[in-house]
């Protein structure tokens, strides 16, 4: 799965003179970033000309907190590849003015020319980024409240067992503006959400179902995550 996704990233990077990637975090993506670092080390891809935008960040976590997505990206990718500081973007969850931070994030994406290739994970409840059920499909980058289910699912990663209640996330509308989208899902715990993404009605209750409206969205999933999809 990671290999396939990394090949898609390689193609996207090498097919454009100014590639703009939308990046995700979480356990689903650690293998993907390992592959990207390998490709960088083998000089198959260069990060010198890439711009990246991460989907989300917890509100209130400093960038050196081990569960912040700043820390995740530094640890899993940025420390190993030569990406100029000004070329990567992650929402700042400790900004004094969060509303302004969100508005400026949208402007930065626009000024970069929009996202060419967006990578997404998925939550068990169908969240994409941190767009929880009920998120409008035309939503933009904003502060959101995490559901109790999401906080419970993420608890094991936090030493304090205290998961932040809020996050900044790109909106579903922001995500849908990417030229192409790859959603990765691994494990049976994602199978129900995968089925609803692909086969369910398009509804605010399942944020990922909005992806059916996109004409260039591909799911890269493992056997377990495909449990409830018809086998051909
Ligand atoms: P995971 O997170 O990759 O850690 O399962 C995905 C998500 O919650 O969107």
């Amino acid at each position: 799965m990671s290999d396939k996704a990394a090949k898609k990233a390689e193609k996207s990077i090498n097919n454009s003179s100014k590639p703009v990637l939308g990046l995700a975090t979480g356990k689903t993506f650690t293998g993907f970033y390992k592959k990207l670092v390998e490709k960088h080390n083998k000089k198959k891809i260069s990060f010198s000309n890439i711009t990246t935008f991460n989907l989300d960040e917890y509100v209130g976590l400093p960038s050196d907190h081990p569960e912040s997505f700043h820390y995740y990206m530094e640890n899993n990718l940025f420390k190993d590849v030569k990406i100029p500081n000004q070329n990567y973007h992650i929402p700042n969850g400790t900004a004094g003015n969060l509303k302004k931070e969100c508005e400026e994030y949208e402007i930065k994406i626009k000024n970069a020319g929009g996202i060419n290739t967006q990578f997404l994970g998925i939550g068990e409840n169908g969240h994409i980024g941190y767009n929880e059920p009920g998120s409008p499909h035309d939503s933009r980058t904003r502060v959101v409240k995490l559901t109790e289910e999401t906080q419970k699912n993420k608890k094991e990663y936090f030493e304090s067992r205290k998961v932040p209640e809020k996050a900044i996330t790109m909106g579903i509308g922001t995500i849908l503006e990417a030229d192409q989208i790859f959603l990765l899902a691994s494990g049976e715990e994602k199978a129900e959400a995968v089925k609803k993404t692909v086969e369910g009605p398009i509804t605010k209750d399942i944020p990922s179902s909005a992806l059916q409206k996109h004409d260039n969205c591909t799911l890269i999933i493992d056997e377990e995550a495909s449990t409830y999809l018809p086998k051909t």
Side-chain angles (χ1 to χ4, degrees):
M1 204 182 77
S2 299
D3 196 40
K4 270 207 173 131
K7 281 192 178 122
K8 299 292 183 192
E10 178 181 357
K11 198 168 164 203
S12 172
I13 290 166
N14 290 334
N15 276 356
S16 168
S17 56
K18 259 183 125 302
V20 182
L21 298 190
L23 298 178
T25 51
K27 64 178 185 303
T28 310
F29 278 87
T30 51
F32 169 75
Y33 291 122
K34 262 196 198 113
K35 296 278 172 196
L36 286 193
V37 170
E38 275 170 32
K39 285 182 188 297
H40 166 264
N41 292 345
K42 288 183 188 157
K43 304 204 183 318
K44 286 186 170 174
I45 50 174
S46 159
F47 281 80
S48 60
N49 204 25
I50 290 183
T51 304
T52 68
F53 289 93
N54 267 78
L55 282 164
D56 45 14
E57 178 59 287
Y58 290 109
V59 166
L61 286 196
S63 56
D64 60 354
H65 187 289
E67 287 313 316
S68 77
F69 296 150
H70 277 78
Y71 189 90
Y72 176 105
M73 289 309 298
E74 179 63 25
N75 210 27
N76 284 284
L77 183 68
F78 296 149
K79 73 172 170 34
D80 294 316
V81 298
K82 291 188 200 92
I83 182 164
N85 279 348
Q86 68 277 14
N87 286 14
Y88 65 86
H89 308 273
I90 307 173
N92 178 5
T94 59
N97 185 337
L98 292 170
K99 190 166 181 283
K100 191 161 162 253
E101 172 68 16
C102 295
E103 286 164 4
E104 286 178 358
Y105 206 66
E106 287 278 338
I107 293 167
K108 283 181 201 160
I109 295 173
K110 209 176 229 149
N111 289 346
I115 292 173
N116 305 130
T117 304
Q118 175 70 56
F119 290 91
L120 293 177
I122 185 170
E124 288 173 40
N125 62 3
H127 71 213
I128 48 175
Y130 264 142
N131 293 284
E132 298 280 37
S135 298
H137 288 182
D138 60 355
S139 50
R140 312 301 308 186
T141 303
R142 68 206 186 288
V143 174
V144 292
K145 203 171 162 347
L146 303 181
T147 62
E148 279 179 19
E149 183 197 3
T150 294
Q151 289 180 51
K152 207 173 112 220
N153 287 344
K154 303 290 175 192
K155 220 178 193 157
E156 60 176 297
Y157 302 114
F158 283 77
E159 211 187 327
S160 65
R161 300 287 177 259
K162 273 200 190 126
V163 181
E165 287 175 11
K166 290 181 183 169
I168 295 179
T169 184
M170 274 186 208
I172 297 178
T174 321
I175 291 169
L176 290 179
E177 281 171 11
D179 297 333
Q180 63 176 344
I181 299 175
F182 294 102
L183 182 143
L184 276 64
S186 161
E188 199 175 345
E189 67 273 19
K190 301 289 174 71
E192 191 69 45
V194 165
K195 182 181 167 67
K196 288 177 179 163
T197 304
V198 179
E199 297 195 322
I202 299 175
T203 162
K204 278 203 295 187
D205 295 342
I206 308 292
S208 54
S209 68
L211 297 171
Q212 291 179 35
K213 299 187 214 171
H214 198 278
D215 59 13
N216 194 355
C217 176
T218 305
L219 271 64
I220 301 176
I221 61 179
D222 66 9
E223 191 69 32
E224 289 80 7
S226 75
T227 301
Y228 303 125
L229 292 178
K231 302 283 180 282
T232 50

